[in-house]
Amino acid sequence: MTTPHSEFFKGVKGILPILLGVFPFGLIYGVSARGAGLSASITQVMSSIVFAGSAQFVMVQLISAGIPAGIILLTTGIINLRHTLYSASVASYLKHLRTGWKLLLAYLLTDEAYAVVITHYQQPDESAYKHWYFLGAGLGLWTTWQASTATGVLLGAQIPASWSLDFALPLTFIAVVVPVLKHRVDGIVAMVAGSCAVVAVHLPLNSGLLIATFIGIGVGMLLPTKNRKTFSDEVENGSRRSEGVRSGEGERKQ
Amino acid sequence: MTTWLLIVGVGLFTYAIRLSFILFFSKAEKLPPFLLRGLRFVPIAVLSAITLPQLLLPKDVIDLSLRNPRWIAGILAALVAWRTRNVFLTIVVGMAGLWLLQLLF
């Protein structure tokens, strides 16, 4: 039986190992932002107002290079465009929630939180309170991001690049994606998307990432699967479960 | 001053993107089933598209030599993730592998 509390702490637990990869990332962001000449307050505030690691990194470089604001806005917009995919894939699980929840959870929808949360939503276990898991994971990430940014700002330029701390972030994604590759088509999608992204890396405004993503998704949709019904069922079950909860079915089960 | 405005602008834009389907487009209710099937691949495709370049392109050029230990450390990490499904262990082994390879080569 799950409660909001139990789901919340499961969310914190779930994101905890991810934070191991996020902390150095935030650290490096704080250090490099100061190194590029940004003030401590701007550096720190960006981590809460923008709250998107890769966009923040790019912004730091573009701001210090004196690039016009319009171009920076466009570039970061395209970098963050993948978040519409996160939003779309998570929306059905949040449909039944009050607007306040949607507003809050959407703010917390980062790469890392999304990876952990969507995996949890796709598990077959029933719980009416998975949005609390989302909240726990999201808040865990948010506080770590603020803390690591602050630490980076304080430490200044004292972290050597040879430590390669930035490698912790791709490691984090590997740690989350690999266990999710259950069917052969999943592995194929991963390889296709990854390879396309490598090939398309020099496309302007980071568009290679999105193109690679869509190609990967397209390939996955086109490939025959053993049991075609299963996949759309998973997603529909997700939203049906959420609706069922609102009409009391979930409570009866528990 | 303009920097602050820019940051707020980017922040709002980013938030709107994240909110898009959760709040604004949720009225577009029932997506056709084949699109629903596609959504399932979003996390896998996106995270792979982000990660593989970071392993293979340390300096924007594909480097599969031993001077780029990242792809080897990445494979090692993937193996650990495959066998143990343990995020903490994967990150630790991956970093240790990277440092070891950097020391050796």
Side-chain angles (χ1 to χ4, degrees), chain A residues 70-85:
Chain A
I71 307 254
I72 299 183
L73 193 60
L74 184 64
T75 308
T76 48
I78 295 191
I79 291 175
N80 285 339
L81 215 48
R82 65 182 181 280
H83 291 129
T84 43
L85 295 175

Side-chain angles (χ1 to χ4, degrees), chain A residues 51 87 103 109 163-164 186, chain B residues 14-15 18 21 40 99 102:
Chain A
F51 189 34
S87 187
L103 292 177
L109 195 58
W163 284 12
S164 302
D186 298 332
Chain B
T14 305
Y15 185 44
R18 288 169 170 161
F21 284 91
R40 186 197 181 283
W99 286 329
Q102 282 176 335

Side-chain angles (χ1 to χ4, degrees), chain A residues 17 20 49 51 80 86-87 103 106 109 114 163-164 166 170-171 173 177 179 186 190 194 197 202 213 221 228 231, chain B residues 11 14-15 18-19 21-22 34 37-38 40 43 46-49 51-52 54 60 70 85 88 91 95 99 102:
Chain A
L20 196 60
I49 293 189
F51 189 34
N80 285 339
Y86 300 165
S87 187
L103 292 177
L109 195 58
Y114 170 71
W163 284 12
S164 302
D166 59 308
L171 284 180
F173 289 142
V177 171
D186 298 332
H202 291 296
T213 301
M221 284 165 62
R228 273 185 177 267
F231 297 143
Chain B
T14 305
Y15 185 44
R18 288 169 170 161
L19 203 51
F21 284 91
I22 292 175
F34 84 95
R37 201 156 17 99
R40 186 197 181 283
V46 138
L47 298 179
S48 303
T51 307
L52 206 63
Q54 291 179 325
D60 277 352
R70 293 192 171 211
R85 297 173 175 259
F88 182 78
I91 297 176
M95 286 307 297
W99 286 329
Q102 282 176 335

Side-chain angles (χ1 to χ4, degrees), chain A residues 180-241:
Chain A
V180 166
L181 305 176
K182 292 190 208 100
H183 310 270
R184 198 152 53 119
V185 70
D186 298 332
I188 295 175
V189 168
M191 280 287 103
V192 167
S195 323
C196 288
V198 168
V199 165
V201 73
H202 291 296
L203 290 182
L205 298 178
N206 266 282
S207 46
L209 190 105
L210 269 183
I211 294 175
T213 301
F214 280 116
I215 295 179
I217 295 174
V219 166
M221 284 165 62
L222 289 173
L223 283 179
T225 59
K226 261 208 192 137
N227 185 357
R228 273 185 177 267
K229 266 179 65 169
T230 328
F231 297 143
S232 44
D233 271 359
E234 274 178 43
V235 181
E236 287 195 33
N237 282 342
S239 43
R240 230 180 280 129
R241 237 179 273 128

Side-chain angles (χ1 to χ4, degrees), chain A:
Chain A
M1 212 193 86
T2 68
T3 67
H5 272 117
S6 70
E7 281 295 305
F8 182 84
F9 285 113
K10 254 206 274 187
V12 175
K13 259 182 59 185
I15 198 109
L16 212 52
I18 306 274
L19 301 182
L20 196 60
V22 168
F23 196 90
F25 192 35
L27 205 60
I28 292 170
Y29 159 71
V31 169
S32 64
R34 294 292 281 135
L38 266 59
S39 72
S41 45
I42 286 192
T43 304
Q44 188 66 50
V45 157
M46 265 172 65
S47 283
S48 49
I49 293 189
V50 175
F51 189 34
S54 38
Q56 286 176 243
F57 263 98
V58 171
M59 279 177 76
V60 162
Q61 287 160 37
L62 297 184
I63 291 176
S64 67
I67 306 280
I71 307 254
I72 299 183
L73 193 60
L74 184 64
T75 308
T76 48
I78 295 191
I79 291 175
N80 285 339
L81 215 48
R82 65 182 181 280
H83 291 129
T84 43
L85 295 175
Y86 300 165
S87 187
S89 90
V90 124
S92 63
Y93 298 109
L94 305 184
K95 236 185 338 188
H96 65 292
L97 298 173
R98 289 201 306 258
T99 307
W101 270 105
K102 292 180 179 173
L103 292 177
L104 178 58
L105 294 181
Y107 170 68
L108 297 173
L109 195 58
T110 56
D111 297 315
E112 301 84 358
Y114 170 71
V116 160
V117 165
I118 194 69
T119 308
H120 185 66
Y121 269 121
Q122 286 174 346
Q123 307 290 355
D125 65 303
E126 302 275 337
S127 169
Y129 304 115
K130 288 197 175 183
H131 49 292
W132 285 93
Y133 182 100
F134 195 155
L135 187 63
L139 282 182
L141 188 90
W142 189 88
T143 43
T144 304
W145 189 243
Q146 308 311 312
S148 58
T149 299
T151 310
V153 167
L154 286 173
L155 284 182
Q158 290 168 34
I159 299 178
S162 55
W163 284 12
S164 302
L165 286 186
D166 59 308
F167 191 54
L169 194 66
L171 284 180
T172 305
F173 289 142
I174 290 176
V176 168
V177 171
V178 168
V180 166
L181 305 176
K182 292 190 208 100
H183 310 270
R184 198 152 53 119
V185 70
D186 298 332
I188 295 175
V189 168
M191 280 287 103
V192 167
S195 323
C196 288
V198 168
V199 165
V201 73
H202 291 296
L203 290 182
L205 298 178
N206 266 282
S207 46
L209 190 105
L210 269 183
I211 294 175
T213 301
F214 280 116
I215 295 179
I217 295 174
V219 166
M221 284 165 62
L222 289 173
L223 283 179
T225 59
K226 261 208 192 137
N227 185 357
R228 273 185 177 267
K229 266 179 65 169
T230 328
F231 297 143
S232 44
D233 271 359
E234 274 178 43
V235 181
E236 287 195 33
N237 282 342
S239 43
R240 230 180 280 129
R241 237 179 273 128
S242 320
E243 287 163 17
V245 157
R246 193 166 43 165
S247 60
E249 283 172 31
E251 291 171 42
R252 248 181 276 134
K253 270 201 184 132
Q254 292 166 359

